[in-house]
Amino acid sequence: MTEPHVQASLRGLPPMDSLLDQIWLEEWIPSLGRETVKRVFTSVVNDIREGIRNGSVENTSMEAINRRAASVFARRGCSSLRSLVNATGVVVHTNLGRSCLAEEAVRSVSDVARSYSTLEYDLHAGERGHRNDHVEWLLCELSGAEAALVVNNNAAAVLLCLAALARDREVIVSRGELVEIGGSFRIPDVMAFSGARLVEVGTTNRTHRADYIDAITPDTAMVLKVHPSNFRIQGFTASVDRQDLARSAMDRGVISMEDLGSGMIVACGELGLSGEPTIRDCIAAGIDIVTFSGDKMLGGPQIGCIVGKRSLIGRLKSYALLRALRVDKMTLAAFETTLRFYLAGQNDRIPTVRMISERPEALRKKAQRLARLLSKRISAGVFEVIPVSDAVGGGAFPAETLPGFGVAIRFRGDVPSTGQLLSSLRSAEYPVIAGARDDVAVFHVRTLLEGDEEKIARSLESVLSRR
Ligand SMILES: *Cc1c(COP(=O)(O)O)cnc(C)c1O
């Protein structure tokens, strides 16, 4: 039996007609549609009913209902996927969309997006062409490989290779490389999906050449080397040199494959880093098939690349699964333009490459400029340039930090708190994702793009004016 005051509250809720009749809804109905607006009110009123019954809601006024609905409209009324300011100093930030495209790559995307294109048309022959041709020759030039194929992402690249080249057969992987990469890419799972059988060799910390060789049977299709991405084993370790592995595989008629993850075209020394091979190094070492992402250190769009021996790539090209993994015209346009910068030796036109190789002195100047701008605009804050540790991200170079600079922000009187500030900046008109150190918000300048300084200033102003 429902208590009388509960019944009275339920009866007192405004009818849907009068809710939908309100003049302020004219702001939302044109973009969201009347049906959506109605569904939002229905769900808000249902929640309030539920709250009345279990005693968690007291205020059942029209204003209370409107307030709840308005916050849903505000969230649904603006684009969900939109640009933001990355002030974390993590260059290839997977949650923030990995690589930012060069302006020229963006222009080639919009060019083919709004128009018909040569996607699968050969202008010279006047007949059907192949979408892969736009980038295959570029990948070959830049890696020294005989052939190349692109798919939706690197996970798809690995899946396609395993399915087409090793289905129902054995693939040998070191136990030290059976990794999970962020976003639930697990080598054993991908292996299972492909229909290839995983054969683990060695131990977590040490795998030797003999471990691979002893595991090769007539059923073995492939030995696979996987980049351990965002983790490192330190101390008493051993792994097999890729040239050794490639030769051992070839001598026994087995395919050698390497999943590089974050493929690099420029030598890491040029970026101020060390210890990682380029794609060309892997091919030169004799590896038959190399896979890597286009949007990690390469700095292009989301795409998965497979480079290697012509006969093997040929088998991939005619494997039916490829049709489900193919790349769209906008991605191909962005990728071709990005690769052409490498071809021309203009690596620093690629934002990801430029950000990673930015020198600390340049970053200090950038931080000083940001601190001056913010000091001028935000009188309640104290802005200090501090050294920070940035990162490549994307699973590449997890053990190395990039020395950078940032601007730490403190408020006279300590309000808002750092947590409040970071959260308000996230929901500002130009969302800003900042870092924090010793409980102080820090804007890392390495990952700021042109115009971001002004956006940070405006977002800070709006956050403070709302208080
Ligand atoms: C990132 C990564 C992948 C997955 O690549 P996506 O492009 O995200 O699909 C696979 N393998 C390795 C080693 C990686 O680092």
Side-chain angles (χ1 to χ4, degrees):
M1 199 47 206
T2 318
E3 290 177 48
H5 74 274
V6 170
Q7 278 178 2
S9 296
L10 289 171
R11 266 199 309 277
L13 286 172
M16 188 54 73
D17 284 350
S18 60
L19 285 171
L20 291 177
D21 230 14
Q22 302 178 86
I23 197 85
W24 69 275
L25 295 181
E26 292 309 316
E27 186 188 342
W28 299 110
I29 287 171
S31 58
L32 294 175
R34 186 172 291 278
E35 285 307 310
T36 302
V37 167
K38 188 173 168 184
R39 266 194 293 278
V40 169
F41 272 114
T42 308
S43 126
V44 166
V45 170
N46 284 344
D47 286 350
I48 287 186
R49 272 209 190 93
E50 185 61 35
I52 294 171
R53 289 205 186 91
N54 65 29
S56 65
V57 169
E58 308 241 301
N59 188 349
T60 61
S61 65
M62 187 109 151
E63 287 68 42
I65 294 171
N66 282 343
R67 228 182 356 260
R68 286 183 182 218
S71 92
V72 178
F73 295 149
R75 234 177 316 125
R76 292 275 179 259
C78 70
S79 289
S80 169
L81 177 56
R82 57 188 175 136
S83 62
L84 53 69
V85 175
N86 174 8
T88 66
V90 180
V91 178
V92 183
H93 197 306
T94 295
N95 301 142
L96 306 185
R98 290 195 179 159
S99 284
C100 305
L101 297 177
E103 227 20 80
E104 293 80 355
V106 173
R107 272 204 296 280
S108 45
V109 171
S110 69
D111 187 40
V112 299
R114 67 163 60 87
S115 155
Y116 293 107
S117 66
T118 56
L119 181 62
E120 289 188 354
Y121 191 76
D122 182 335
L123 283 177
H124 299 290
E127 60 188 35
R128 178 161 202 254
H130 293 281
R131 64 179 67 208
N132 193 60
D133 292 352
H134 302 294
V135 293
E136 178 170 19
W137 72 275
L138 282 161
L139 284 169
C140 292
E141 284 293 328
L142 296 167
S143 68
E146 295 172 2
L149 179 64
V150 287
V151 290
N152 185 47
N153 58 17
N154 188 36
V158 175
L159 176 68
L160 177 68
C161 292
L162 291 174
L165 305 175
R167 182 169 206 92
D168 296 327
R169 297 188 64 201
E170 291 174 354
V171 175
I172 302 173
V173 186
S174 157
R175 288 201 170 84
E177 298 174 356
L178 285 174
V179 293
E180 172 178 321
I181 290 129
S184 70
F185 176 89
R186 286 181 167 193
I187 287 294
D189 294 346
V190 177
M191 194 78 73
F193 272 124
S194 74
R197 286 197 302 280
L198 171 65
V199 176
E200 304 175 21
V201 295
T203 59
T204 306
N205 56 329
R206 292 173 75 85
T207 301
H208 305 279
R209 186 169 166 274
D211 293 326
Y212 286 100
I213 292 173
D214 292 349
I216 294 179
T217 71
D219 245 9
T220 305
M222 178 190 283
V223 291
L224 170 63
K225 197 172 168 58
V226 183
H227 192 284
S229 272
N230 41 12
F231 103 119
R232 281 290 171 277
I233 298 175
Q234 286 178 338
F236 186 57
T237 64
S239 63
V240 181
D241 173 74
R242 67 172 52 74
Q243 195 162 351
D244 244 10
L245 189 67
R247 174 138 348 106
S248 304
M250 191 179 69
D251 289 348
R252 286 157 187 82
V254 165
I255 298 166
S256 60
M257 169 169 157
E258 179 161 6
D259 174 19
L260 258 187
S262 194
M264 281 190 301
I265 287 172
V266 278
C268 59
E270 281 179 46
L271 302 174
L273 296 161
S274 62
E276 293 287 340
T278 60
I279 302 154
R280 186 180 284 280
D281 292 337
C282 298
I283 294 293
I287 297 285
D288 295 323
I289 291 274
V290 179
T291 62
F292 49 93
S293 293
D295 57 351
K296 290 184 178 172
M297 286 186 72
L298 217 64
Q302 179 193 305
I303 199 168
C305 306
I306 308 166
V307 300
K309 295 263 155 64
R310 183 173 292 113
S311 60
L312 297 174
I313 300 284
R315 283 166 65 187
L316 302 179
K317 285 179 178 172
S318 59
Y319 197 73
L321 177 64
L322 176 62
R323 180 60 180 77
L325 309 175
R326 75 179 189 186
V327 180
D328 79 297
K329 62 176 179 174
M330 292 181 279
T331 304
L332 283 166
F335 199 43
E336 181 184 352
T337 304
T338 305
L339 291 179
R340 282 179 185 278
F341 280 133
Y342 283 113
L343 194 69
Q346 299 179 322
N347 308 339
D348 62 347
R349 302 277 291 278
I350 300 165
T352 296
V353 174
R354 200 171 53 230
M355 285 178 190
I356 291 170
S357 54
E358 191 97 81
R359 304 258 66 96
E361 253 333 288
L363 292 168
R364 186 206 295 271
K365 290 210 175 78
K366 205 168 157 186
Q368 285 165 342
R369 206 171 59 220
L370 177 62
R372 271 198 305 276
L373 174 77
L374 296 179
S375 304
K376 212 157 60 192
R377 299 268 288 269
I378 290 137
S379 55
V382 182
F383 300 93
E384 186 195 351
V385 172
I386 59 167
V388 294
S389 295
D390 296 330
V392 173
F397 299 91
E400 278 192 71
T401 55
L402 305 173
F405 282 90
V407 176
I409 167 167
R410 285 188 190 74
F411 288 100
R412 307 177 209 282
D414 275 348
V415 277
S417 76
T418 300
Q420 280 166 349
L421 176 67
L422 292 175
S423 138
S424 312
L425 283 170
R426 286 199 300 272
S427 51
E429 185 186 351
Y430 299 112
V432 179
I433 313 295
R437 207 182 75 179
D438 303 333
D439 202 36
V440 175
V442 180
F443 302 112
H444 295 237
V445 295
R446 181 185 299 274
T447 43
L448 298 186
L449 298 163
E450 208 182 309
D452 279 356
E453 289 157 4
E454 175 61 26
K455 289 179 185 169
I456 291 176
R458 283 203 204 166
S459 293
L460 264 181
E461 281 170 345
S462 78
V463 163
L464 296 172
S465 71
R466 264 190 265 147
R467 296 183 56 80

